[in-house]
Amino acid sequence: MSELVDKLYEAEVKKADHDHHVPTAGAMTGHILANLKLESLKLFQSASYVKGENYVTLHHLFLDLAKKEDALFYDLSKELLIEGELVPTTNEEITRYGKIEEAGKNKYHSAEVMLETFVKDFDWQNLFIDRAIKLAEKEEKFSLQHALIELLTFNKENILTFQALNGHDARYGLDDEDEDED
């Protein structure tokens, strides 16, 4: 039995490596799932440590979003499994495929900085989601594509909400960042 398990896992690792170099909708969605896990943890951290006059609002907002991201993780994972794709299920895979930066010191940021960081995180995730949507369409994985479009909408709504809480329009500080670097 152990030999079979080893062979199955070896085949999985080989497929994952291939898919991440090609890339495929499944591999790109694996990155999205890893980012969802990291973002959920980051939201929980912020909910636990946010301070200031908007504590109650932000505490509940961050907790609710962490729960929604956990649910989205499971829903999107199910779509991948239906398509015969791989789902990141270990901490090692989450940290390897996830691109969201998190750190213990983030809990000491002001509520404003926490919100700004999440805006940038959601916008960053949308790059992966946009790419995965196009790949899913190309591969004719329309149910996966639909789930990814729902996630994209969720992220854009969060950007709008978090920006508004900081007194900004939805795209404030996002679209013009490239121009500032020139």
Side-chain angles (χ1 to χ4, degrees):
M1 185 68 133
S2 180
E3 276 185 43
L4 175 61
V5 169
D6 290 342
K7 285 182 181 184
L8 289 171
Y9 185 67
E10 185 179 314
E12 175 185 320
V13 170
K14 187 175 180 179
K15 179 182 176 3
D17 188 50
H18 174 266
D19 288 355
H20 283 278
H21 286 89
V22 170
T24 65
M28 195 60 60
T29 304
H31 286 289
I32 293 163
L33 288 170
N35 285 331
L36 277 170
K37 271 295 178 203
L38 292 172
E39 193 74 22
S40 173
L41 188 58
K42 197 170 177 178
L43 283 161
F44 177 76
Q45 178 191 51
S46 293
S48 300
Y49 290 95
V50 68
K51 304 280 189 268
E53 64 185 55
N54 291 324
Y55 165 78
V56 173
T57 300
L58 293 178
H59 172 78
H60 291 293
L61 176 63
F62 293 156
L63 276 183
D64 288 346
L65 288 178
K67 290 175 190 173
K68 286 179 185 173
E69 288 208 346
D70 287 341
L72 286 165
F73 178 91
Y74 294 113
D75 291 345
L76 204 48
S77 294
K78 184 173 69 174
E79 289 296 329
L80 278 187
L81 293 171
I82 289 168
E83 294 292 346
E85 298 289 347
L86 300 171
V87 174
T89 57
T90 66
N91 287 326
E92 189 272 330
E93 291 169 327
I94 297 299
T95 54
R96 181 177 356 138
Y97 299 135
K99 304 300 179 193
I100 297 295
E101 293 183 19
E102 50 92 29
K105 68 181 180 179
N106 290 347
K107 65 182 152 242
Y108 300 110
H109 287 301
S110 67
E112 181 179 341
V113 170
M114 287 178 181
L115 290 167
E116 288 172 4
T117 301
F118 286 123
V119 165
K120 290 178 182 170
D121 286 352
F122 288 124
D123 195 54
W124 171 248
Q125 290 176 62
N126 288 347
L127 297 173
F128 292 91
I129 298 168
D130 285 337
R131 182 96 190 267
I133 289 169
K134 292 172 186 165
L135 289 166
E137 180 177 22
K138 180 181 173 187
E139 297 169 22
E140 298 184 356
K141 296 179 178 180
F142 301 117
S143 182
L144 177 60
Q145 182 186 24
H146 177 74
L148 290 164
I149 290 169
E150 287 183 359
L151 177 58
L152 181 66
T153 301
F154 171 80
N155 279 0
K156 287 182 175 186
E157 289 171 351
N158 289 330
I159 290 170
L160 175 66
T161 299
F162 285 23
Q163 290 280 48
L165 285 166
N166 269 347
H168 303 300
D169 292 330
R171 299 302 305 168
Y172 175 83
L174 298 174
D175 295 327
D176 56 13
E177 283 186 6
D178 293 334
E179 296 169 16
D180 292 343
E181 293 175 9
D182 292 338

